[in-house]
Amino acid sequence: MKFFIDTANLKEIREAAGWGILDGVTTNPTLVAREKAPFADLIREICRAVPGPVSVECVAADAGPLVEEARRLAGLAPNVVVKIPLTREGLKATRTLSQEGIGVNTTLIFSTAQALLAAKAGSRFVSPFIGRLDDISQEGMDLVREILAVYENYTFQTEVIVASIRHPRHVIEAALLGAPVATVPFSVLDKLFHHPLTDIGIENFLKDWGRAVK
Ligand code: E4P
């Protein structure tokens, strides 16, 4: 399972990269806006910090401008993957960009039909937003299960990124389903370390080590 970090914060990215478990980054306009840094410089810096794919979102609406914007973003660094929402225009742009060798992460996926369209258009990644489905009382992980089952029937190269993750259980459920990628906010990545019995165990071992004959 690949771990991406869902943030545009360089400190968080560098910290997680230092743990040796980071395979990529996903950003979106909301995350970028939080950083108050010049956009292109920020993306270049993120791409230098992590060798894996860095998803950067396009905001144009029509296919022509989307393709232009995506080419510009892809020119920022070799590991940029462009994020394009699943719309008719987005799909047209995805086909063109995929044929040019520019990786597309189809974002804002909320149905299996959308994920099927994205795979047909040649997307490198699809991002089902499970937390946002949970927020409206739908089981987000059911969507991931269904997309994976559909992809299993064919030879699509598209990888599912489980996105909009809210807590460690989401990460475990994604792993149980065999999802190839989870994109995880820093706060959730950090929580994956914690278990009170680990803390108590370390404390007790240290105490006992103090009493050991050395
Ligand atoms: C994924 O690529 C998105 O950036 C992200 O997971 C959205 O998560 P949110 O629903 O917490 O905003």
Side-chain angles (χ1 to χ4, degrees):
M1 185 187 203
K2 281 175 259 185
F3 275 5
F4 291 179
I5 188 168
D6 196 28
T7 184
N9 183 280
L10 272 165
K11 203 166 155 254
E12 292 180 347
I13 291 167
R14 288 191 176 121
E15 174 73 15
W19 298 336
I21 47 118
L22 198 61
D23 301 296
V25 178
T26 53
T27 68
N28 64 40
T30 308
L31 296 171
V32 164
R34 273 184 206 152
E35 298 312 310
K36 312 279 178 238
F39 174 68
D41 295 346
L42 178 64
I43 298 302
R44 280 195 206 96
E45 202 57 39
I46 293 174
C47 289
R48 268 196 291 271
V50 179
V54 174
S55 290
V56 186
E57 192 140 347
C58 296
V59 293
D62 295 329
L66 260 174
V67 168
E68 290 308 313
E69 185 184 11
R71 285 178 184 146
R72 261 197 323 276
L73 293 178
L76 291 175
N79 49 337
V80 164
V81 166
V82 295
K83 253 176 147 181
I84 297 185
L86 195 284
T87 60
R88 286 174 180 79
E89 292 298 302
L91 213 63
K92 282 187 223 165
T94 298
R95 166 64 66 204
T96 307
L97 293 163
S98 303
Q99 281 167 348
E100 285 178 17
I102 294 177
V104 177
N105 172 357
T106 305
T107 189
L108 290 167
I109 292 280
F110 292 99
S111 80
T112 308
Q114 292 177 329
L116 184 55
L117 289 173
K120 285 281 296 173
S123 287
R124 179 169 170 196
F125 298 108
V126 285
S127 294
F129 277 33
I130 57 162
R132 293 193 193 186
L133 282 171
D134 288 356
D135 290 346
I136 58 159
S137 301
Q138 279 186 35
E139 186 53 65
M141 214 47 83
D142 285 350
L143 173 60
V144 174
R145 184 177 297 105
E146 206 171 270
I147 296 171
L148 289 172
V150 167
Y151 283 9
E152 188 67 29
N153 290 338
Y154 302 100
T155 53
F156 297 128
Q157 299 301 302
T158 313
E159 290 190 286
V160 175
I161 303 179
V162 179
S164 186
I165 280 182
R166 302 270 197 265
H167 49 71
R169 198 62 214 161
H170 274 152
V171 180
I172 301 311
E173 284 164 12
L176 283 169
L177 290 176
V181 192
T183 189
V184 189
F186 182 83
S187 59
V188 178
L189 272 182
D190 198 47
K191 281 182 192 150
L192 296 179
F193 283 94
H194 297 305
H195 196 287
L197 290 179
T198 305
D199 299 339
I200 293 167
I202 291 172
E203 204 185 312
N204 287 341
F205 281 154
L206 281 178
K207 245 187 263 156
D208 292 344
W209 180 242
R211 284 198 299 268
V213 179
K214 288 166 221 133

PDB file of all heavy atoms in Angstrom, residues 57-70 72 83-94 97:
ATOM      1  N   GLU A  57      -3.962  20.486  -8.390  1.00  0.00           N
ATOM      2  CA  GLU A  57      -5.303  20.569  -8.989  1.00  0.00           C
ATOM      3  C   GLU A  57      -5.434  21.666 -10.047  1.00  0.00           C
ATOM      4  O   GLU A  57      -5.000  22.806  -9.854  1.00  0.00           O
ATOM      5  CB  GLU A  57      -6.334  20.795  -7.869  1.00  0.00           C
ATOM      6  CG  GLU A  57      -7.749  20.615  -8.355  1.00  0.00           C
ATOM      7  CD  GLU A  57      -8.638  19.884  -7.346  1.00  0.00           C
ATOM      8  OE1 GLU A  57      -8.122  19.301  -6.365  1.00  0.00           O
ATOM      9  OE2 GLU A  57      -9.855  19.905  -7.558  1.00  0.00           O
ATOM     10  N   CYS A  58      -6.084  21.313 -11.157  1.00  0.00           N
ATOM     11  CA  CYS A  58      -6.449  22.282 -12.190  1.00  0.00           C
ATOM     12  C   CYS A  58      -7.785  22.917 -11.800  1.00  0.00           C
ATOM     13  O   CYS A  58      -8.642  22.256 -11.205  1.00  0.00           O
ATOM     14  CB  CYS A  58      -6.642  21.585 -13.524  1.00  0.00           C
ATOM     15  SG  CYS A  58      -5.152  20.827 -14.175  1.00  0.00           S
ATOM     16  N   VAL A  59      -7.985  24.180 -12.190  1.00  0.00           N
ATOM     17  CA  VAL A  59      -9.239  24.855 -11.832  1.00  0.00           C
ATOM     18  C   VAL A  59     -10.040  25.303 -13.055  1.00  0.00           C
ATOM     19  O   VAL A  59     -11.163  25.783 -12.908  1.00  0.00           O
ATOM     20  CB  VAL A  59      -8.981  26.062 -10.890  1.00  0.00           C
ATOM     21  CG1 VAL A  59      -8.485  25.598  -9.546  1.00  0.00           C
ATOM     22  CG2 VAL A  59      -8.036  27.062 -11.527  1.00  0.00           C
ATOM     23  N   ALA A  60      -9.477  25.142 -14.250  1.00  0.00           N
ATOM     24  CA  ALA A  60     -10.223  25.546 -15.459  1.00  0.00           C
ATOM     25  C   ALA A  60     -11.442  24.636 -15.623  1.00  0.00           C
ATOM     26  O   ALA A  60     -11.470  23.521 -15.095  1.00  0.00           O
ATOM     27  CB  ALA A  60      -9.315  25.448 -16.686  1.00  0.00           C
ATOM     28  N   ALA A  61     -12.431  25.118 -16.372  1.00  0.00           N
ATOM     29  CA  ALA A  61     -13.673  24.339 -16.513  1.00  0.00           C
ATOM     30  C   ALA A  61     -13.741  23.602 -17.848  1.00  0.00           C
ATOM     31  O   ALA A  61     -14.172  22.450 -17.904  1.00  0.00           O
ATOM     32  CB  ALA A  61     -14.876  25.262 -16.367  1.00  0.00           C
ATOM     33  N   ASP A  62     -13.330  24.257 -18.943  1.00  0.00           N
ATOM     34  CA  ASP A  62     -13.468  23.648 -20.265  1.00  0.00           C
ATOM     35  C   ASP A  62     -12.216  22.848 -20.641  1.00  0.00           C
ATOM     36  O   ASP A  62     -11.115  23.127 -20.149  1.00  0.00           O
ATOM     37  CB  ASP A  62     -13.717  24.726 -21.321  1.00  0.00           C
ATOM     38  CG  ASP A  62     -15.062  25.417 -21.069  1.00  0.00           C
ATOM     39  OD1 ASP A  62     -15.976  24.734 -20.538  1.00  0.00           O
ATOM     40  OD2 ASP A  62     -15.181  26.619 -21.358  1.00  0.00           O
ATOM     41  N   ALA A  63     -12.422  21.881 -21.551  1.00  0.00           N
ATOM     42  CA  ALA A  63     -11.338  20.953 -21.871  1.00  0.00           C
ATOM     43  C   ALA A  63     -10.080  21.672 -22.394  1.00  0.00           C
ATOM     44  O   ALA A  63      -8.972  21.366 -21.938  1.00  0.00           O
ATOM     45  CB  ALA A  63     -11.818  19.921 -22.883  1.00  0.00           C
ATOM     46  N   GLY A  64     -10.258  22.631 -23.319  1.00  0.00           N
ATOM     47  CA  GLY A  64      -9.095  23.320 -23.897  1.00  0.00           C
ATOM     48  C   GLY A  64      -8.255  24.002 -22.816  1.00  0.00           C
ATOM     49  O   GLY A  64      -7.053  23.708 -22.672  1.00  0.00           O
ATOM     50  N   PRO A  65      -8.870  24.929 -22.048  1.00  0.00           N
ATOM     51  CA  PRO A  65      -8.121  25.576 -20.977  1.00  0.00           C
ATOM     52  C   PRO A  65      -7.582  24.599 -19.925  1.00  0.00           C
ATOM     53  O   PRO A  65      -6.487  24.797 -19.383  1.00  0.00           O
ATOM     54  CB  PRO A  65      -9.157  26.521 -20.351  1.00  0.00           C
ATOM     55  CG  PRO A  65     -10.169  26.757 -21.427  1.00  0.00           C
ATOM     56  CD  PRO A  65     -10.190  25.527 -22.268  1.00  0.00           C
ATOM     57  N   LEU A  66      -8.328  23.519 -19.684  1.00  0.00           N
ATOM     58  CA  LEU A  66      -7.845  22.515 -18.715  1.00  0.00           C
ATOM     59  C   LEU A  66      -6.540  21.881 -19.205  1.00  0.00           C
ATOM     60  O   LEU A  66      -5.592  21.716 -18.430  1.00  0.00           O
ATOM     61  CB  LEU A  66      -8.888  21.404 -18.560  1.00  0.00           C
ATOM     62  CG  LEU A  66      -9.820  21.453 -17.349  1.00  0.00           C
ATOM     63  CD1 LEU A  66     -10.872  20.345 -17.440  1.00  0.00           C
ATOM     64  CD2 LEU A  66      -9.071  21.359 -16.037  1.00  0.00           C
ATOM     65  N   VAL A  67      -6.510  21.557 -20.493  1.00  0.00           N
ATOM     66  CA  VAL A  67      -5.306  20.939 -21.052  1.00  0.00           C
ATOM     67  C   VAL A  67      -4.130  21.920 -20.957  1.00  0.00           C
ATOM     68  O   VAL A  67      -3.018  21.558 -20.548  1.00  0.00           O
ATOM     69  CB  VAL A  67      -5.546  20.493 -22.518  1.00  0.00           C
ATOM     70  CG1 VAL A  67      -4.247  20.111 -23.206  1.00  0.00           C
ATOM     71  CG2 VAL A  67      -6.528  19.318 -22.553  1.00  0.00           C
ATOM     72  N   GLU A  68      -4.398  23.195 -21.294  1.00  0.00           N
ATOM     73  CA  GLU A  68      -3.328  24.213 -21.216  1.00  0.00           C
ATOM     74  C   GLU A  68      -2.815  24.335 -19.784  1.00  0.00           C
ATOM     75  O   GLU A  68      -1.614  24.369 -19.536  1.00  0.00           O
ATOM     76  CB  GLU A  68      -3.861  25.586 -21.681  1.00  0.00           C
ATOM     77  CG  GLU A  68      -4.138  25.662 -23.173  1.00  0.00           C
ATOM     78  CD  GLU A  68      -2.939  25.214 -23.998  1.00  0.00           C
ATOM     79  OE1 GLU A  68      -1.822  25.664 -23.701  1.00  0.00           O
ATOM     80  OE2 GLU A  68      -3.134  24.391 -24.903  1.00  0.00           O
ATOM     81  N   GLU A  69      -3.770  24.431 -18.842  1.00  0.00           N
ATOM     82  CA  GLU A  69      -3.394  24.584 -17.427  1.00  0.00           C
ATOM     83  C   GLU A  69      -2.598  23.365 -16.959  1.00  0.00           C
ATOM     84  O   GLU A  69      -1.566  23.495 -16.278  1.00  0.00           O
ATOM     85  CB  GLU A  69      -4.665  24.748 -16.574  1.00  0.00           C
ATOM     86  CG  GLU A  69      -4.366  25.042 -15.124  1.00  0.00           C
ATOM     87  CD  GLU A  69      -5.633  25.119 -14.249  1.00  0.00           C
ATOM     88  OE1 GLU A  69      -6.730  24.740 -14.714  1.00  0.00           O
ATOM     89  OE2 GLU A  69      -5.501  25.552 -13.089  1.00  0.00           O
ATOM     90  N   ALA A  70      -3.070  22.184 -17.346  1.00  0.00           N
ATOM     91  CA  ALA A  70      -2.409  20.949 -16.912  1.00  0.00           C
ATOM     92  C   ALA A  70      -0.981  20.884 -17.461  1.00  0.00           C
ATOM     93  O   ALA A  70      -0.055  20.478 -16.753  1.00  0.00           O
ATOM     94  CB  ALA A  70      -3.217  19.738 -17.372  1.00  0.00           C
ATOM     95  N   ARG A  72       0.917  23.383 -18.149  1.00  0.00           N
ATOM     96  CA  ARG A  72       1.718  24.343 -17.378  1.00  0.00           C
ATOM     97  C   ARG A  72       2.121  23.752 -16.036  1.00  0.00           C
ATOM     98  O   ARG A  72       3.272  23.820 -15.630  1.00  0.00           O
ATOM     99  CB  ARG A  72       0.907  25.624 -17.134  1.00  0.00           C
ATOM    100  CG  ARG A  72       1.230  26.756 -18.086  1.00  0.00           C
ATOM    101  CD  ARG A  72       0.738  28.108 -17.601  1.00  0.00           C
ATOM    102  NE  ARG A  72      -0.521  28.113 -16.907  1.00  0.00           N
ATOM    103  CZ  ARG A  72      -1.730  28.162 -17.494  1.00  0.00           C
ATOM    104  NH1 ARG A  72      -1.833  28.174 -18.806  1.00  0.00           N
ATOM    105  NH2 ARG A  72      -2.842  28.195 -16.763  1.00  0.00           N
ATOM    106  N   LYS A  83      -4.525  17.112 -11.126  1.00  0.00           N
ATOM    107  CA  LYS A  83      -5.817  16.672 -10.603  1.00  0.00           C
ATOM    108  C   LYS A  83      -6.913  17.350 -11.415  1.00  0.00           C
ATOM    109  O   LYS A  83      -6.905  18.577 -11.566  1.00  0.00           O
ATOM    110  CB  LYS A  83      -5.949  17.142  -9.150  1.00  0.00           C
ATOM    111  CG  LYS A  83      -5.807  16.048  -8.130  1.00  0.00           C
ATOM    112  CD  LYS A  83      -5.865  16.676  -6.765  1.00  0.00           C
ATOM    113  CE  LYS A  83      -6.491  15.788  -5.760  1.00  0.00           C
ATOM    114  NZ  LYS A  83      -6.547  16.430  -4.442  1.00  0.00           N
ATOM    115  N   ILE A  84      -7.831  16.540 -11.896  1.00  0.00           N
ATOM    116  CA  ILE A  84      -8.932  17.089 -12.694  1.00  0.00           C
ATOM    117  C   ILE A  84     -10.234  16.487 -12.174  1.00  0.00           C
ATOM    118  O   ILE A  84     -10.346  15.260 -12.050  1.00  0.00           O
ATOM    119  CB  ILE A  84      -8.736  16.750 -14.194  1.00  0.00           C
ATOM    120  CG1 ILE A  84      -7.450  17.427 -14.698  1.00  0.00           C
ATOM    121  CG2 ILE A  84      -9.947  17.169 -15.019  1.00  0.00           C
ATOM    122  CD1 ILE A  84      -7.188  17.285 -16.178  1.00  0.00           C
ATOM    123  N   PRO A  85     -11.219  17.325 -11.855  1.00  0.00           N
ATOM    124  CA  PRO A  85     -12.495  16.788 -11.382  1.00  0.00           C
ATOM    125  C   PRO A  85     -13.224  16.033 -12.488  1.00  0.00           C
ATOM    126  O   PRO A  85     -13.031  16.307 -13.678  1.00  0.00           O
ATOM    127  CB  PRO A  85     -13.297  18.027 -10.960  1.00  0.00           C
ATOM    128  CG  PRO A  85     -12.319  19.137 -10.901  1.00  0.00           C
ATOM    129  CD  PRO A  85     -11.205  18.794 -11.840  1.00  0.00           C
ATOM    130  N   LEU A  86     -14.058  15.072 -12.063  1.00  0.00           N
ATOM    131  CA  LEU A  86     -14.790  14.244 -13.023  1.00  0.00           C
ATOM    132  C   LEU A  86     -15.985  15.020 -13.562  1.00  0.00           C
ATOM    133  O   LEU A  86     -17.031  15.103 -12.921  1.00  0.00           O
ATOM    134  CB  LEU A  86     -15.215  12.942 -12.316  1.00  0.00           C
ATOM    135  CG  LEU A  86     -15.695  11.760 -13.149  1.00  0.00           C
ATOM    136  CD1 LEU A  86     -17.111  11.938 -13.685  1.00  0.00           C
ATOM    137  CD2 LEU A  86     -14.761  11.438 -14.320  1.00  0.00           C
ATOM    138  N   THR A  87     -15.757  15.627 -14.746  1.00  0.00           N
ATOM    139  CA  THR A  87     -16.840  16.292 -15.483  1.00  0.00           C
ATOM    140  C   THR A  87     -16.683  15.850 -16.939  1.00  0.00           C
ATOM    141  O   THR A  87     -15.674  15.235 -17.294  1.00  0.00           O
ATOM    142  CB  THR A  87     -16.685  17.827 -15.435  1.00  0.00           C
ATOM    143  OG1 THR A  87     -15.414  18.159 -16.034  1.00  0.00           O
ATOM    144  CG2 THR A  87     -16.741  18.370 -14.010  1.00  0.00           C
ATOM    145  N   ARG A  88     -17.642  16.201 -17.769  1.00  0.00           N
ATOM    146  CA  ARG A  88     -17.513  15.849 -19.198  1.00  0.00           C
ATOM    147  C   ARG A  88     -16.254  16.497 -19.781  1.00  0.00           C
ATOM    148  O   ARG A  88     -15.476  15.874 -20.501  1.00  0.00           O
ATOM    149  CB  ARG A  88     -18.742  16.318 -19.978  1.00  0.00           C
ATOM    150  CG  ARG A  88     -19.979  15.476 -19.729  1.00  0.00           C
ATOM    151  CD  ARG A  88     -21.200  16.062 -20.401  1.00  0.00           C
ATOM    152  NE  ARG A  88     -22.389  15.257 -20.177  1.00  0.00           N
ATOM    153  CZ  ARG A  88     -23.111  15.276 -19.053  1.00  0.00           C
ATOM    154  NH1 ARG A  88     -22.756  16.064 -18.050  1.00  0.00           N
ATOM    155  NH2 ARG A  88     -24.178  14.504 -18.919  1.00  0.00           N
ATOM    156  N   GLU A  89     -16.068  17.780 -19.480  1.00  0.00           N
ATOM    157  CA  GLU A  89     -14.900  18.507 -20.004  1.00  0.00           C
ATOM    158  C   GLU A  89     -13.610  17.944 -19.407  1.00  0.00           C
ATOM    159  O   GLU A  89     -12.585  17.826 -20.083  1.00  0.00           O
ATOM    160  CB  GLU A  89     -15.034  20.003 -19.683  1.00  0.00           C
ATOM    161  CG  GLU A  89     -16.164  20.693 -20.426  1.00  0.00           C
ATOM    162  CD  GLU A  89     -15.985  20.656 -21.945  1.00  0.00           C
ATOM    163  OE1 GLU A  89     -14.964  21.153 -22.429  1.00  0.00           O
ATOM    164  OE2 GLU A  89     -16.882  20.130 -22.638  1.00  0.00           O
ATOM    165  N   GLY A  90     -13.690  17.600 -18.132  1.00  0.00           N
ATOM    166  CA  GLY A  90     -12.527  17.023 -17.451  1.00  0.00           C
ATOM    167  C   GLY A  90     -12.118  15.711 -18.099  1.00  0.00           C
ATOM    168  O   GLY A  90     -10.924  15.420 -18.263  1.00  0.00           O
ATOM    169  N   LEU A  91     -13.095  14.939 -18.484  1.00  0.00           N
ATOM    170  CA  LEU A  91     -12.821  13.640 -19.105  1.00  0.00           C
ATOM    171  C   LEU A  91     -12.148  13.811 -20.472  1.00  0.00           C
ATOM    172  O   LEU A  91     -11.196  13.106 -20.798  1.00  0.00           O
ATOM    173  CB  LEU A  91     -14.141  12.875 -19.240  1.00  0.00           C
ATOM    174  CG  LEU A  91     -14.024  11.361 -19.103  1.00  0.00           C
ATOM    175  CD1 LEU A  91     -13.526  10.953 -17.729  1.00  0.00           C
ATOM    176  CD2 LEU A  91     -15.347  10.702 -19.409  1.00  0.00           C
ATOM    177  N   LYS A  92     -12.653  14.798 -21.239  1.00  0.00           N
ATOM    178  CA  LYS A  92     -12.034  15.061 -22.552  1.00  0.00           C
ATOM    179  C   LYS A  92     -10.568  15.428 -22.361  1.00  0.00           C
ATOM    180  O   LYS A  92      -9.687  14.928 -23.062  1.00  0.00           O
ATOM    181  CB  LYS A  92     -12.725  16.261 -23.233  1.00  0.00           C
ATOM    182  CG  LYS A  92     -14.059  15.956 -23.862  1.00  0.00           C
ATOM    183  CD  LYS A  92     -14.516  17.199 -24.638  1.00  0.00           C
ATOM    184  CE  LYS A  92     -15.976  17.481 -24.424  1.00  0.00           C
ATOM    185  NZ  LYS A  92     -16.398  18.813 -24.851  1.00  0.00           N
ATOM    186  N   ALA A  93     -10.328  16.322 -21.406  1.00  0.00           N
ATOM    187  CA  ALA A  93      -8.952  16.768 -21.146  1.00  0.00           C
ATOM    188  C   ALA A  93      -8.095  15.597 -20.675  1.00  0.00           C
ATOM    189  O   ALA A  93      -6.919  15.471 -21.062  1.00  0.00           O
ATOM    190  CB  ALA A  93      -8.960  17.875 -20.085  1.00  0.00           C
ATOM    191  N   THR A  94      -8.675  14.726 -19.878  1.00  0.00           N
ATOM    192  CA  THR A  94      -7.927  13.579 -19.343  1.00  0.00           C
ATOM    193  C   THR A  94      -7.431  12.681 -20.464  1.00  0.00           C
ATOM    194  O   THR A  94      -6.284  12.222 -20.460  1.00  0.00           O
ATOM    195  CB  THR A  94      -8.837  12.775 -18.375  1.00  0.00           C
ATOM    196  OG1 THR A  94      -9.181  13.632 -17.293  1.00  0.00           O
ATOM    197  CG2 THR A  94      -8.151  11.529 -17.848  1.00  0.00           C
ATOM    198  N   LEU A  97      -4.495  14.477 -22.187  1.00  0.00           N
ATOM    199  CA  LEU A  97      -3.298  14.553 -21.339  1.00  0.00           C
ATOM    200  C   LEU A  97      -2.670  13.172 -21.154  1.00  0.00           C
ATOM    201  O   LEU A  97      -1.441  13.032 -21.192  1.00  0.00           O
ATOM    202  CB  LEU A  97      -3.658  15.164 -19.977  1.00  0.00           C
ATOM    203  CG  LEU A  97      -4.066  16.644 -20.053  1.00  0.00           C
ATOM    204  CD1 LEU A  97      -4.787  17.071 -18.781  1.00  0.00           C
ATOM    205  CD2 LEU A  97      -2.842  17.529 -20.310  1.00  0.00           C
TER     206      LEU A  97
END
